[in-house]
Amino acid sequence: MNASLLDGLRGRLPELALKTAAADLEYYGRDWTRRWTPAPLAIALPSSVEEVQGIVRWASEQRVAIVPSGGRTGLSGGAVAANGELVVSLEKMNRVLGFDADDRILAVQAGIALEAAQAAAREHGLIYPVDFAARGSCSIGGTIATNAGGIRVIRYGNTRNWIAGLTLVTASGEVLELNRGLVKNSSGYDLRQLVIGAEGTLGIVVQAQLWLTDAPPESNTMLLALPSFEALMRVFGVLRARLQLSAFEFLTDKALAHVVAHGAQKPFDEDHPFYVVAEFDADTEEKRDAALTAFGELLEAGQVADGVIAQSDAQAAALWRLREGITESVARYVPYKNDVSVRIGAMPDFLAQTQALLAQEYPQFDVVWFGHIGDGNLHINVLKPDAMENADFVRECGRVTALLAEALQRHGGSISAEHGIGLVKKPYLSSTRSAAEVALMRSIRHVFDPAGIMNPHKLLDTGSTHPVYGETA
Ligand code: 2HG
Ligand code: ZN
């Protein structure tokens, strides 16, 4: 059955690269969540927009569900294909298409890795400022699908600030050129922004125009050891007022222990409960002095217990590794990940309540906290004990996440700050979006994709019986 179905696709697009080997289905059918067993129908690897159109038209006729696929570094299951879907991998569409110096726009195919786009920007003396640890493997298309944030949101904002335009292949196979690089465009609904963060439910992003910006002034990095959660937000307030921060990231002692066990250098002899990695402009004597003075005063006031300011690029990179290496260092424990946000002002109260909640509900688990605290974004990774079945572990974490979602709702926060809803957060969407909002989102999705073939079961359930291949055939 599958073979004859795919023969139809092959007949329609003879040049299209298709993979069906078991190892490929396994490889392309999963993301970093490792929770679902991959079971796609096949992997299509188009080389052109026209091929993507052909695939979508065929899938739409045959009612085959599509999972758009980038680097699959996602943490919410948005790129999982566990239900007979056709994975449409953009990995062959990974080129820079051009640079426009007047508009400072880099045009790329969606399958390009973030790091490659960043490198291309630097060739023109500019930067693409969205950045995070998975830069080498995630794709620009994936960052658009989730409106990815990362480590410099505090200065530059999320992905959506940097997308000057995008090319979308809709579920009917039409090509939409959204916004076309315009800085000003007050002509009705901004469909570009609707597509950013839509997790592949409104179509397949095949190309993007990225706004670039000036390289920042020379920066420096400091690592601070903090005595308490309360100190964290106070230190943030002081540093934000007195330095030009480009990052303010935190991690707990447990997070540090995992990164160090994974090979990173232990930064201080003593252990401390919390650490901050802060990056700040240090291109003048005055700015460097301001950092030293602020550090001295915080130390004196007992808000900071210890600290180090990098003396070289290598040392700055080593300090960043302590923060950026966390995800990899805990990966072997198949963590249950929360990625939550509240307004900065609500953070102290939310932190206190969440800390109490998790201490009470998770006495048996290793809970690793870290994240982009300067953006109000916390990552909470709950590590699975080796002896526990994954299903039992996920059920228990799901129960506690429901309580966390209630706390978020009370604080006006979000169940997903930057990883997306995917499959993992779907049960908790209503803690962040009202019933009226969810109903509108559902209707919008239906308008874009009446047959329900675009990444079904992700983000929100449409209520219809999704014509996923295998269910209707
Ligand atoms: C980060 O900030 C990423 O390092 C991953 O968003 C977070 O692994 C996580 O939970
Ligand atoms: Zn993050």
Side-chain angles (χ1 to χ4, degrees):
M1 176 59 203
N2 287 359
S4 64
L5 187 69
L6 288 175
D7 281 346
L9 179 58
R10 281 195 193 93
R12 179 87 72 94
L13 298 168
E15 304 295 319
L16 175 67
L18 268 178
K19 294 187 180 194
T20 52
D24 291 322
L25 302 184
E26 163 90 21
Y27 176 70
Y28 289 92
R30 64 166 79 225
D31 65 3
W32 279 8
T33 50
R34 303 283 185 272
R35 197 187 295 176
W36 288 270
T37 307
L41 167 69
I43 321 302
L45 300 109
S47 302
S48 66
V49 175
E50 292 71 29
E51 273 192 344
V52 176
Q53 285 179 281
I55 294 167
V56 170
R57 289 200 177 113
W58 171 83
S60 171
E61 282 163 28
Q62 300 296 324
R63 301 274 163 139
V64 170
I66 281 177
V67 176
S69 194
R72 292 176 305 286
T73 57
L75 299 167
S76 298
V80 165
N83 203 10
E85 304 94 331
L86 180 69
V87 172
V88 180
S89 163
L90 277 287
E91 80 178 26
K92 283 180 184 283
M93 295 176 64
N94 63 355
R95 282 183 301 113
V96 172
L97 297 171
F99 171 67
D100 184 323
D102 294 329
D103 287 287
R104 295 178 138 197
I105 284 176
L106 186 76
V108 296
Q109 292 182 307
I112 191 171
L114 171 59
E115 194 169 54
Q118 291 170 337
R122 279 196 299 274
E123 279 173 26
H124 298 287
L126 297 168
I127 64 158
Y128 180 65
V130 175
D131 195 22
F132 47 89
R135 61 183 76 79
S137 15
C138 73
S139 72
I140 286 289
T143 66
I144 291 172
T146 52
N147 183 28
I151 54 179
R152 296 207 172 76
V153 170
I154 193 174
R155 174 165 291 177
Y156 296 108
N158 296 301
T159 296
R160 70 168 74 254
N161 293 6
W162 299 96
I163 304 301
L166 49 83
T167 307
L168 184 79
V169 175
T170 67
S172 62
E174 240 165 306
V175 175
L176 304 183
E177 299 288 351
L178 302 177
N179 197 60
R180 305 182 309 276
L182 296 170
V183 175
K184 291 187 144 185
N185 182 7
S186 191
S187 61
Y189 307 136
D190 190 340
L191 300 180
R192 158 195 56 160
Q193 292 296 351
L194 196 56
V195 168
I196 300 169
E199 303 187 28
T201 62
L202 303 183
I204 303 181
V205 175
V206 288
Q207 292 174 6
Q209 291 168 295
L210 311 177
W211 270 309
L212 307 185
T213 190
D214 293 315
E218 191 190 327
S219 66
N220 205 347
T221 306
M222 65 166 109
L223 176 75
L224 304 175
L226 271 51
S228 65
F229 246 138
E230 293 68 41
L232 202 56
M233 295 317 286
R234 293 214 195 96
V235 169
F236 175 54
V238 170
L239 294 189
R240 185 166 60 162
R242 302 193 19 197
L243 313 182
Q244 283 80 47
L245 288 177
S246 47
F248 189 87
E249 302 274 318
F250 102 108
L251 54 147
T252 57
D253 50 353
K254 286 189 177 170
L256 183 76
H258 283 288
V259 192
V260 167
H262 213 68
Q265 184 87 29
K266 191 170 185 241
F268 305 115
D269 293 338
E270 306 265 304
D271 292 332
H272 302 273
F274 302 97
Y275 300 90
V276 160
V277 177
E279 190 184 72
F280 53 94
D281 292 353
D283 53 323
T284 64
E285 197 67 40
E286 212 183 341
K287 289 180 193 167
R288 288 192 287 271
D289 285 350
L292 279 174
T293 309
F295 172 60
E297 287 177 19
L298 286 167
L299 205 57
E300 185 115 325
Q303 306 283 2
V304 162
D306 205 345
V308 54
I309 298 185
Q311 300 302 319
S312 65
D313 287 353
Q315 205 184 352
L319 297 183
W320 266 112
R321 185 176 171 201
L322 299 173
R323 164 63 186 86
E324 291 205 299
I326 300 170
T327 300
E328 205 184 315
S329 75
V330 298
R332 83 152 199 84
Y333 300 98
V334 205
Y336 186 97
K337 289 175 186 283
N338 293 118
D339 159 42
V340 300
S341 65
V342 294
R343 286 182 304 107
I344 313 281
M347 189 51 101
D349 194 48
F350 175 73
L351 272 181
Q353 283 193 25
T354 304
Q355 202 183 13
L357 174 77
L358 299 193
Q360 180 182 313
E361 300 295 337
Y362 283 140
Q364 75 281 38
F365 297 149
D366 195 2
V367 183
V368 175
W369 298 61
F370 58 105
H372 321 279
I373 199 84
D375 315 322
N377 178 188
L378 281 180
H379 294 309
I380 303 166
N381 280 213
V382 188
L383 309 192
K384 187 179 85 57
D386 286 340
M388 194 165 185
E389 284 297 323
N390 201 31
D392 297 336
F393 175 67
V394 168
R395 195 174 319 109
E396 178 57 8
C397 293
R399 179 187 71 75
V400 179
T401 296
L403 302 174
L404 181 65
E406 285 172 17
L408 280 165
Q409 194 162 23
R410 285 197 300 277
H411 288 87
S414 176
I415 192 70
S416 176
E418 59 172 3
H419 295 167
I421 296 294
L423 294 168
V424 174
K425 324 274 173 51
K426 195 171 59 169
Y428 316 102
L429 184 62
S430 63
S431 66
T432 300
R433 313 296 294 259
S434 70
E437 273 185 288
V438 173
L440 275 175
M441 290 204 282
R442 197 168 274 137
S443 305
I444 290 167
R445 183 170 180 168
H446 186 71
V447 168
F448 273 78
D449 177 23
I453 62 161
M454 295 308 309
N455 218 4
H457 307 295
K458 314 289 173 52
L459 179 52
L460 41 82
D461 286 317
T462 56
S464 67
T465 50
H466 295 137
V468 178
Y469 170 73
E471 288 178 2
T472 56

